[in-house]
Amino acid sequence: MTAPALTKNQSLVFDVLSRSDAPLSAYTILDKLRDHGFRAPLQVYRALDKLLERGMVHRLESLNAFVACAHQEKECCGGHGHGTVAFAICESCGHVVEFHDHAVDHRLDDWARERKFKPAKTTIEIRGLCEQCAA
Amino acid sequence: MTAPALTKNQSLVFDVLSRSDAPLSAYTILDKLRDHGFRAPLQVYRALDKLLERGMVHRLESLNAFVACAHQEKECCGGHGHGTVAFAICESCGHVVEFHDHAVDHRLDDWARERKFKPAKTTIEIRGLCEQCAA
DNA sequence: TCAATTGCGTTATGCTATAACGTGTGTCAT
DNA sequence: ATGACACACGTTATAGCATAACGCAATTGA
Ligand SMILES: [Zn+2]
Ligand SMILES: [Zn+2]
Ligand SMILES: [Zn+2]
Ligand SMILES: [Zn+2]
């Protein structure tokens, strides 16, 4: 039941994402890891796949970029085992806020149930300007 | 105030999207329009940009693909002048349903207002299985 | 020990999107 | 008219994102 340890490559990728204060593209991650022996995009993508599976990393579809999950292990909704997560992305400074909203989740869930649509993964991304940048 | 007519290229691209029952990538559109003189991606992307501006076409971020807007001109929320729109995307048959949900919109709006975040564009995409394909 | 699984590294390729250049065509103020 | 401007268009080249296909090594579990 308890997940196996991260491999070396997975740890390296996760570390880079954790330290970043903005989303990173796979190729940016690659560049940051060249000194650690990374040579090809696949090394990054394979690590990202595993981290995404675990919910430790999220993909921002509107940016083709990735962020470390901002949840603590045991937060509401089970931390990394969270349901749908939403993002507010500042187009000026690049800062991203990850959040849940149960009302939104349930509303979309109801919509799906009414139409007998079976959701697998839901993307919610608000792009705009954060408080700092909107001033 | 009334929008200028579509150019030839814009019409061709819009037609292709309108006739399709699934989202199309820019390159797929290009292929479908080679017989009409299209030779390069930019011809498609430039037309798409204008159609997106007008709200006649939507981009599905999680698919890197495009669909014709499913609204009628004068539907609720002003038809093509609509606010946030959401999509349910079947991963099996490719069918896409476009919808509004005011409750979701307002909830996300509230979230943003509370944090003084200024939304510019919001993406909501539910991927899963439609009723037909879930059976 | 033998198979199956998983991760890894490499090369090559494919898909998505834009930069930069020049052309032609209208509009509009001079 | 003529020049200035805006805008659509066409072309070539390039940038950015993602996966296919190969082979090797380590791990696991019958
Ligand atoms: Zn998360
Ligand atoms: Zn900002
Ligand atoms: Zn629409
Ligand atoms: Zn379906």
Side-chain angles (χ1 to χ4, degrees), chain B residues 16-61:
Chain B
V16 166
L17 281 175
S18 296
R19 287 193 228 294
S20 173
D21 54 353
L24 299 177
S25 77
Y27 279 74
T28 303
I29 296 170
L30 173 58
D31 286 339
K32 289 180 183 293
L33 289 176
R34 292 212 186 263
D35 293 345
H36 293 267
F38 276 52
R39 321 271 345 170
L42 231 62
Q43 297 175 275
V44 177
Y45 282 110
R46 289 203 272 230
L48 285 172
D49 282 346
K50 294 302 179 185
L51 295 169
L52 287 166
E53 270 177 21
R54 292 194 186 209
M56 296 175 65
V57 161
H58 299 292
R59 175 186 169 82
L60 299 178
E61 301 290 353

Side-chain angles (χ1 to χ4, degrees), chain A residues 17-47:
Chain A
L17 282 174
S18 295
R19 287 193 230 293
S20 173
D21 53 354
L24 298 177
S25 77
Y27 278 74
T28 303
I29 295 171
L30 173 58
D31 285 340
K32 288 180 182 292
L33 289 176
R34 293 214 185 263
D35 293 344
H36 293 268
F38 276 52
R39 321 271 342 174
L42 232 63
Q43 297 174 276
V44 177
Y45 282 109
R46 291 204 272 230

Side-chain angles (χ1 to χ4, degrees), chain A residues 90 93 130 133:
Chain A
C90 176
C93 69
C130 74
C133 296

Side-chain angles (χ1 to χ4, degrees), chain B residues 90 92-95 129-130 132-133:
Chain B
C90 177
S92 170
C93 69
H95 188 65
L129 295 175
C130 73
Q132 312 290 336
C133 296

